Amino acid sequence: MTSIFKLMGCASALGLAISGAANAQETGPFGHSSNGLSFPFAAAIAKGFADAAAEVGAEAIILDSQGDVLKQTNDIDDLLAQGVVGISVLPNDSVVATAWADKAAAAGVPFVASAGQVGDPTTRPIDDVYEGMAALVTQHEVTAGHQIGLLAAKLLDDDKTAKVAVIEGAAGYAEVGLRTEGFEAGMKEAGQPYEIVAAQPGDWTSEKGESACQNILASNPDVDLFFNQADDMVVGCARAVDAAGSDALLLGFGGSKLAIQAIKDGAVDGTVCYKPEEIGRLSFNVLHDIATGTADHTEEFVTYETPAVTIDNIDLCVGQW
């Protein structure tokens, strides 16, 4: 089937519609609100969502909030006004997203969170899906952090206390605390003594990751390992480490194409492999199941395997973003 791509204007956002054969509930429209399509990971989720819709001849409306919480609130209103039969959201703010889930539930529209928790991450376990939602579709952030912590322990010298620096994502994202929680649990389980000597935000980007690592190396030149909470940041951090002549190990998070290549080139030591297109695809499938009556989904936690990889097993990770 050939899909037709067209630009759709709306009051608060520019959307991309992917159209197939029309057939009421089964063909949508289905909506996806992204936290920002300029982020490769978020764009890959949207691609997976749109591709899954196209495969069954359904229409997908993809809206880009461009990192703006207020704009994303308006995007949810726009999707509901357009009569979508299901909504998937990669939220900018986990707590604010509860209002969007409540609004969708009140309208009788199934709501799925994609790769981002809904609810206060400091009080709600990641697999405790917010009330009334159809599903949370994501990698298990704590489990993935645990895997990268075990990998870090394997690479480090356990005869001394390792000096670890954490390059965090952006404030407001549930993933920041969850990934560090898992990382520390993995290090402790492996019996690796460590001290987190510094933590700075890299805001998920290569440039800010590089800057954060430069700042940390200036005051902590003997850092043994940088745990970067996203692969874009580890690629930037690798530049800072190289420029400083540091021997620090570099671990990323996410399995991006750039990080996979950096591991193959010897610039980065490892990462944990995420599959954002699979998140988008699974999110659409949940909504499509409900729309077609194929299956019911209520407050489900849907996830997939996320292996830690180094140069020794890098073929396990095919970069999707």
Side-chain angles (χ1 to χ4, degrees):
M1 178 177 293
T2 301
S3 295
I4 301 171
F5 291 81
K6 61 181 179 179
L7 293 177
M8 296 189 63
C10 60
S12 65
L14 183 65
L16 185 63
I18 299 89
S19 301
N23 193 11
Q25 287 283 104
E26 294 188 11
T27 56
F30 296 86
H32 175 72
S33 171
S34 176
N35 69 329
L37 295 178
S38 63
F39 299 122
F41 193 87
I45 292 173
K47 179 181 183 299
F49 189 92
D51 286 349
E55 287 171 10
V56 297
E59 178 186 359
I61 301 172
I62 311 296
L63 300 183
D64 183 3
S65 70
Q66 301 172 11
D68 187 322
V69 175
L70 178 58
K71 189 173 189 301
Q72 193 160 36
T73 298
N74 293 333
D75 285 352
I76 302 303
D77 290 338
D78 288 341
L79 289 171
L80 291 171
Q82 292 183 60
V84 295
V85 299
I87 294 176
S88 162
V89 176
L90 173 50
N92 282 296
D93 188 292
S94 298
V95 176
V96 175
T98 60
W100 311 333
D102 291 342
K103 185 176 291 187
V109 176
F111 188 94
V112 169
S114 302
Q117 195 173 0
V118 172
D120 185 349
T122 65
T123 60
R124 180 182 295 272
I126 191 169
D127 54 0
D128 180 13
V129 179
Y130 186 73
E131 296 82 359
M133 281 176 36
L136 166 60
V137 181
T138 188
Q139 52 279 329
H140 196 298
E141 298 289 354
V142 176
T143 297
H146 182 266
Q147 290 167 327
I148 207 73
L150 291 175
L151 176 59
K154 181 180 178 180
L155 297 175
L156 287 164
D157 178 2
D158 61 6
D159 290 334
K160 70 169 187 174
T161 299
K163 294 184 177 181
V164 175
V166 181
I167 308 302
E168 300 173 335
Y173 283 80
E175 294 86 347
V176 171
L178 296 172
R179 292 177 183 181
T180 295
E181 176 188 340
F183 174 80
E184 293 200 65
M187 293 278 276
K188 291 172 183 175
E189 179 181 312
Q192 171 64 54
Y194 71 96
E195 175 190 5
I196 294 180
V197 297
Q200 288 191 22
D203 292 348
W204 309 121
T205 70
S206 177
E207 293 77 16
K208 291 189 177 181
E210 180 177 6
S211 177
C213 288
Q214 286 174 338
N215 293 338
I216 290 173
L217 285 167
S219 55
N220 297 274
D222 55 349
V223 166
D224 295 302
L225 180 141
F226 282 98
F227 166 44
N228 294 263
Q229 292 188 342
D231 278 344
D232 279 1
M233 297 190 300
V234 79
V235 171
C237 189
R239 294 194 294 266
V241 167
D242 181 64
S246 169
D247 294 324
L249 293 164
L250 287 159
L251 296 181
F253 215 94
S256 74
K257 294 175 182 176
L258 286 176
I260 290 171
Q261 188 59 52
I263 291 171
K264 291 178 179 178
D265 292 341
V268 170
D269 296 286
T271 189
V272 63
C273 190
Y274 281 5
K275 301 173 184 177
E277 289 184 23
E278 184 69 9
I279 293 172
R281 181 174 297 277
L282 290 170
S283 297
F284 174 81
N285 288 344
V286 167
L287 296 174
H288 193 250
D289 281 351
I290 297 171
T292 60
T294 303
D296 185 32
H297 298 272
T298 304
E299 297 171 16
E300 291 185 10
F301 180 75
V302 181
T303 191
Y304 61 94
E305 292 187 2
T306 54
V309 295
T310 66
I311 190 62
D312 294 331
N313 64 341
I314 194 62
D315 290 344
L316 291 177
C317 192
V318 178
Q320 295 186 345
W321 60 287

